[in-house]
Amino acid sequence: MKLYGYFRSSASFRVRIALALKEINYENIPVHLLNEGGEQYKADYTEINPQQLVPSLIDGEAVITQSLAIVEYLDAKYPGVMPLVPKDIWLAAKARQIAYAIACDIHPMNNLRVLQYLKGELKVDDEVKNTWYHHWVLTGFTAIEKMLGETCDQYCLGDQLSLADVCLIPQVYNAKRFNCDLTKFPRILAIYEHCMEHDAFIQAAPENQPDAG
Ligand SMILES: N[C@@H](CCC(=O)N[C@@H](CS)C(=O)NCC(=O)O)C(=O)O
């Protein structure tokens, strides 16, 4: 398998966690999102991912984009190693509920191209851009902190790692990088601390990628 990604990309981080949890070897192909105006816009990469976003997974003839589609593909292909979508349909819905709250509702508001548009086209300054970033993280995390009250223990779903943790940890990692105040989210922080002690999460972390600056 080949993974096109970027060390700081939280969507790539999700896929790296899933690959590490499932102990799948893969070739890492960096796509630098800033160099030369962004390598995601190059014609050869656009052939792979028409959305000009990372990650993209190549598995033989299969080209798969969208991190959650990739994670669910890996989970279906390797169901015996660290299942990420629970068999129980209520728990599966809860895992997806948290994952989608992050991947559909927080991350798109704060993606690189959104921040670049705010700054470049709409001419907002860095302070306003950061206020925007913090607002969407805090709005999303306030809801997720409540949701977790229903299911969490050491992980989002009790003592079982799932798709929810695969999405939550990269979002927390980025929120910390952008200096968001997370003190109102003790459940989220406890799960983050716990996951970041796990070998798969350490292996997948941005600073441990070959393209980390
Ligand atoms: N929903 C997509 C989001 C992918 C995405 O937005 N990736 C970001 C990095 S985390 C990206 O490639 N940004 C490039 C840009 O904004 O130009 C997924 O989950 O794969």
Side-chain angles (χ1 to χ4, degrees):
M1 286 191 191
K2 292 180 188 171
L3 178 68
Y4 289 82
Y6 179 57
F7 73 108
R8 273 200 173 128
S9 149
S10 63
S12 305
F13 191 0
R14 293 172 198 152
V15 175
R16 293 196 302 260
I17 294 168
L19 286 163
L21 285 170
K22 289 184 172 290
E23 299 174 13
I24 301 167
N25 288 325
Y26 64 98
E27 183 187 349
N28 181 63
I29 305 180
V31 178
H32 202 294
L33 298 184
L34 297 169
N35 279 358
E36 300 171 32
E39 292 176 356
Q40 69 275 33
Y41 297 113
K42 288 193 168 171
D44 52 351
Y45 186 68
T46 305
E47 281 297 309
I48 294 167
N49 189 329
Q51 285 191 286
Q52 302 176 312
L53 299 169
V54 292
S56 302
L57 184 83
I58 312 285
D59 182 19
E61 297 297 304
V63 181
I64 308 166
T65 66
Q66 284 292 339
S67 61
L68 293 192
I70 296 171
V71 172
E72 292 225 24
Y73 170 84
L74 295 172
D75 205 40
K77 186 160 177 174
Y78 301 98
V81 190
M82 188 64 77
L84 294 171
V85 180
K87 286 220 162 26
D88 177 281
I89 61 167
W90 182 78
L91 283 173
K94 290 288 141 185
R96 291 193 176 101
Q97 170 184 302
I98 294 166
Y100 297 174
I102 294 158
C104 304
D105 297 330
I106 300 177
H107 178 266
M109 306 304 288
N110 291 344
N111 198 3
L112 176 65
R113 61 186 178 180
V114 171
L115 301 180
Q116 284 175 335
Y117 185 77
L118 284 173
K119 202 169 170 190
E121 306 295 318
L122 303 184
K123 310 286 178 214
V124 308
D125 62 24
D126 281 337
E127 199 185 330
V128 175
K129 189 187 81 175
N130 284 336
T131 302
W132 168 281
Y133 189 103
H134 290 199
H135 173 76
W136 295 114
V137 168
L138 298 186
T139 303
F141 278 9
T142 299
I144 291 168
E145 181 74 13
K146 279 202 189 114
M147 290 176 192
L148 286 170
E150 199 181 9
T151 55
C152 80
D153 189 351
Q154 39 186 343
Y155 299 120
C156 293
L157 303 183
D159 60 359
Q160 201 59 46
L161 273 166
S162 74
L163 185 66
D165 306 288
V166 164
C167 289
L168 180 64
I169 289 354
Q171 190 64 63
V172 176
Y173 187 99
N174 269 11
K176 284 174 167 274
R177 187 161 77 84
F178 279 80
N179 296 317
C180 295
D181 176 6
L182 301 180
T183 48
K184 289 194 181 131
F185 311 116
R187 292 181 183 123
I188 291 175
L189 282 176
I191 293 166
Y192 177 79
E193 299 300 336
H194 192 70
C195 284
M196 288 310 285
E197 288 170 3
H198 193 296
D199 279 349
F201 288 78
I202 294 169
Q203 200 181 314
E207 66 273 17
N208 295 329
Q209 303 316 302
D211 55 325

